[in-house]
Amino acid sequence: MLRKLFQTTDPASQPFVISGSGTLGWDQVAANLAEPGDEALVLHTGYFADSFADCFETYGVKATQLKAPIGDRPQLDEVEKALGEKKYKIITVTHVDTSTGVLSEIQKLAELVRRVSPETLVVVDGVCSVGCEEIRFDDWDIDVVITASQKAIGCPAGLSIVMASGRAIETFRNRKTRPTSYFASWKNWLPSTLPLPTPTPPPPSPTRSSPPPPLTHPAPPTER
């Protein structure tokens, strides 16, 4: 089902479904695909790029943001120039940034990266796009797409969903250092290394599907 959603038939591509929010996808990328001291280029189209960059820095990854005016996106010639100035392990782009309403062109961006810096991993933040915007994982040669269950997929909240390419998995397997997260470490989630269905019991949902019961005692007076 997930392969159909992401449009991948490559047997080397690997989905991950982990209890958590869409933000956990950022942690998975930063903890598994980058190592402390690596460089990441974050294309800035709004608030979520700031947060993704902050996540990288939390894991010791050097994040460079390529910014555009609010409501716009970095142009391809600017991206090409940035890729030519430094070797980046990862480039990230928010497919749909709901803080600004910007829609990024993933296909053209991926084609550019493959031409200019083919070893750079293309990571798409698709939390607000998977299920409603076109994403062709195989055809566009994307390395990672992250999303969450509660957005356009239309399921209850609580699942971080990631699709990783064979190239991304090889990058993870060839790390020189251990992943910088335990819970988000793909070592604990890859089927070939996983002895049990999950490394930890999934948390129950803390939400209610019906209104809370009425109070059985009067509320305390408001302090002034």
Side-chain angles (χ1 to χ4, degrees), residues 100-181:
T100 57
V102 173
L103 172 66
S104 294
E105 294 182 325
I106 305 303
Q107 182 179 10
K108 292 182 179 179
L109 173 65
E111 290 173 350
L112 170 67
V113 176
R114 293 292 165 243
R115 176 173 57 84
V116 176
S117 183
E119 294 182 355
T120 300
L121 298 177
V122 177
V123 175
V124 177
D125 181 339
V127 169
C128 298
S129 68
V130 172
C132 62
E133 293 290 343
E134 184 177 33
I135 296 180
R136 295 184 175 273
F137 193 84
D138 290 351
D139 292 346
W140 297 351
D141 203 11
I142 302 171
D143 290 299
V144 176
V145 177
I146 68 174
T147 190
S149 54
Q150 80 277 12
K151 296 290 186 176
I153 296 176
C155 295
L159 294 177
S160 169
I161 303 171
V162 173
M163 183 64 73
S165 69
R167 182 168 43 232
I169 296 300
E170 282 303 305
T171 297
F172 167 72
R173 294 189 189 279
N174 293 329
R175 292 178 61 92
K176 296 181 177 64
T177 61
R178 295 181 61 174
T180 44
S181 169

Side-chain angles (χ1 to χ4, degrees), residues 22-55:
T23 304
L24 182 59
W26 294 339
D27 289 86
Q28 290 186 62
V29 170
N32 292 291
L33 297 179
E35 301 185 55
D38 281 345
E39 301 277 354
L41 180 62
V42 178
L43 303 188
H44 187 285
T45 54
Y47 166 82
F48 296 101
D50 291 326
S51 298
F52 207 160
D54 186 44
C55 180

